[in-house]
Amino acid sequence: VRILVVGATGTIGAAVVRSLETRHEVLAAGRSSGLRVDMSDRDSIASLYAHVGQVDAVVCTAGHAAFRPLLELADEDLRRSLDGKLMGQVNLVRLGADVLSDGGSFTLSSGLLSRQPLPGSTALSMVNAAIEGFVRAAALDLPRGLRVNAVSPSWVRETLAAMGRDPDPGVPAAAVAGSYVKCVEGDMTGQVLDVFTGAGDAD
Ligand SMILES: NC(=O)c1ccc[n+]([C@@H]2O[C@H](COP(=O)([O-])OP(=O)(O)OC[C@H]3O[C@@H](n4cnc5c(N)ncnc54)[C@H](OP(=O)(O)O)[C@@H]3O)[C@@H](O)[C@H]2O)c1
């Protein structure tokens, strides 16, 4: 199976690549290494797909959104959040539907803040919830047995450690990666997999 991973060098992306590359051909993409793509730029996504040709799965572990209190969010913060994590992933699906083989899959990233917000998470919570709504509905429209799902991680252990916070409540990146692998190798579609415990069970 030929799998394109956008965000392959990130905390979650690197763990996903490690999990997949033992059994599959993995094409790593990002802004600054591997195959180059800026997912906030539609033309850049189109160029990436033209370059790689047919793939069997696309995984996205990239996407930034602002973390700032509601009344401090500038227009630019909101625009970048929507163009990046939301429209970047939406366009990976819209533009990628033609290059996926029959029955192929898209696996996107949302996040627990969609349903468990924190002060300052408005932009990220909004974007994550939009991705989850997109996945549930887009699955109904995709042709040729194409599938689309999202993984919704809680805090990742390595991310908490990098922030200088207590890593213990976090889920190891390797466990989060297991949910992405389930989406790629399984037959589910229109699902959002919450990752609270590392078990990666779908709700
Ligand atoms: N880590 C957590 O605790 C956590 C929890 C819940 C949800 N999530 C979500 O999971 C996803 C991955 O998180 P992460 O912590 O693994 O992120 P990360 O460590 O910051 O890595 C992000 C990856 O995406 C690439 N990237 C960033 N912007 C890009 C763009 N515009 N176009 C293409 N590639 C881009 C980065 O490489 P370049 O800089 O080279 O492009 C990098 O490989 C994000 O959507 C995040 O919101 C993370």
Side-chain angles (χ1 to χ4, degrees), residues 7 9-12 31-32 37-39 61-63 85 110 153-154 156 159:
T9 60
T11 307
I12 295 174
R31 281 172 311 185
S32 54
V37 65
D38 179 353
M39 63 189 249
T61 54
K85 186 165 180 175
S110 61
S154 60
V156 172
T159 301

Side-chain angles (χ1 to χ4, degrees), residues 17 31 41 48:
V17 170
R31 281 172 311 185
D41 175 352
L48 174 70

Side-chain angles (χ1 to χ4, degrees), residues 10-11 13 17-19 26 28 49 54 57 69 79 87 105 118 124 127 130 133 138 163 166-167 173-174:
T11 307
V17 170
R18 277 194 296 276
S19 297
V26 174
Y49 281 137
Q54 182 168 294
R79 194 187 61 73
M87 286 311 299
S105 69
L118 296 171
L124 202 39
V127 163
M163 294 166 72
D166 176 8

